[in-house]
Amino acid sequence: MANLLSNFRTTLILSLALAAIMIFAFARVSGVDALTFGQAVARWAHVGFGILWIGLLYYFNFVQIRVMPSIPGELKPAISKYIAPEALFWFRWAALLTVIAGLAVMGLKGHAYSAEVMSFGFAGGLVEGDQGYALMGVGVWLAIVMFLNVWGIIWPNQKRALGIVVVDDAKKAKAARVAMLASRTNLLLSLPMLTSMAMYQTLFG
């Protein structure tokens, strides 16, 4: 067992295999139609990728950005050359897959639902009961803004700050600050986004 757990890839594959068994078990006992079950699988993927994405966002903001100034200069390359690029790889792809899976959940719930959420409940004319769509729409659009921030601002600037794209010291320092502020923006938006999605699923889902 220790040998199995010592290998990241093997551990992850085994965890996915166990999850697949659980998904199969739910398919056998749920009694729902294929479309509803598809929504459940898509939501599982959405939540899983979302945990990885937001977990890394919180790692960057709660730990790395705060601690970096106190790390001795000779030790900082360990972060910038090894840990940060690896974390950013999982971070940006988890963001993409979270959004794709979330849009899949929404799409599988039907065109009318998708239109209502994306339009904050205005798609069918504002009527009583559409406030839930509006609140869910806030969460969806916040997540999309955060995703665009990851790929459009954080990652391009982190490439310069980490030396993946070679620039002079002034541009590197500016890129590092822009990336930090963009990351803090996503931290700011993350709790309202999570509140929207978690509360909606409990109260209206």
Side-chain angles (χ1 to χ4, degrees):
M1 188 67 175
N3 289 336
L4 186 154
L5 295 175
S6 296
N7 186 287
F8 166 75
R9 181 176 296 179
T10 303
T11 304
L12 182 60
I13 290 171
L14 180 57
S15 183
L16 288 170
L18 293 172
I21 292 170
M22 290 293 293
I23 290 171
F24 178 75
F26 272 104
R28 294 292 301 273
V29 303
S30 64
V32 299
D33 59 86
L35 186 62
T36 302
F37 191 76
Q39 291 175 29
V41 174
R43 180 168 283 115
W44 168 80
H46 179 57
V47 171
F49 289 124
I51 289 170
L52 181 57
W53 175 20
I54 302 302
L56 285 167
L57 172 69
Y58 289 168
Y59 158 73
F60 287 128
N61 282 277
F62 280 70
V63 180
Q64 184 172 303
I65 293 172
R66 291 179 56 250
V67 175
M68 277 295 283
S70 63
I71 297 176
E74 68 272 15
L75 299 179
K76 287 183 179 180
I79 303 294
S80 60
K81 291 185 178 180
Y82 298 99
I83 294 175
E86 183 74 9
L88 284 163
F89 171 84
W90 294 104
F91 175 69
R92 67 182 186 273
W93 289 107
L96 174 62
L97 293 170
T98 300
V99 170
I100 289 173
L103 292 175
V105 173
M106 193 165 59
L108 288 167
K109 294 188 79 166
H111 174 73
Y113 173 82
S114 300
E116 291 287 2
V117 169
M118 298 303 285
S119 68
F120 304 103
F122 284 98
L126 189 61
V127 297
E128 186 176 355
D130 281 353
Q131 294 90 340
Y133 291 130
L135 291 170
M136 184 61 177
V138 169
V140 170
W141 280 108
L142 285 176
I144 291 171
V145 168
M146 291 170 65
F147 159 72
L148 294 173
N149 199 9
V150 168
W151 281 90
I153 300 176
I154 295 174
W155 175 232
N157 281 283
Q158 282 286 17
K159 285 193 289 186
R160 299 184 188 99
L162 296 173
I164 298 170
V165 172
V166 179
V167 294
D168 61 45
D169 289 344
K171 289 181 179 177
K172 182 181 288 190
K174 180 180 178 181
R177 178 157 179 80
V178 170
M180 183 276 288
L181 292 173
S183 184
R184 283 285 163 79
T185 299
N186 273 11
L187 174 64
L188 174 68
L189 299 179
S190 67
L191 290 177
M193 179 272 294
L194 289 170
T195 301
S196 170
M197 296 197 174
M199 295 292 285
Y200 180 89
Q201 292 306 322
T202 301
L203 300 176
F204 300 99

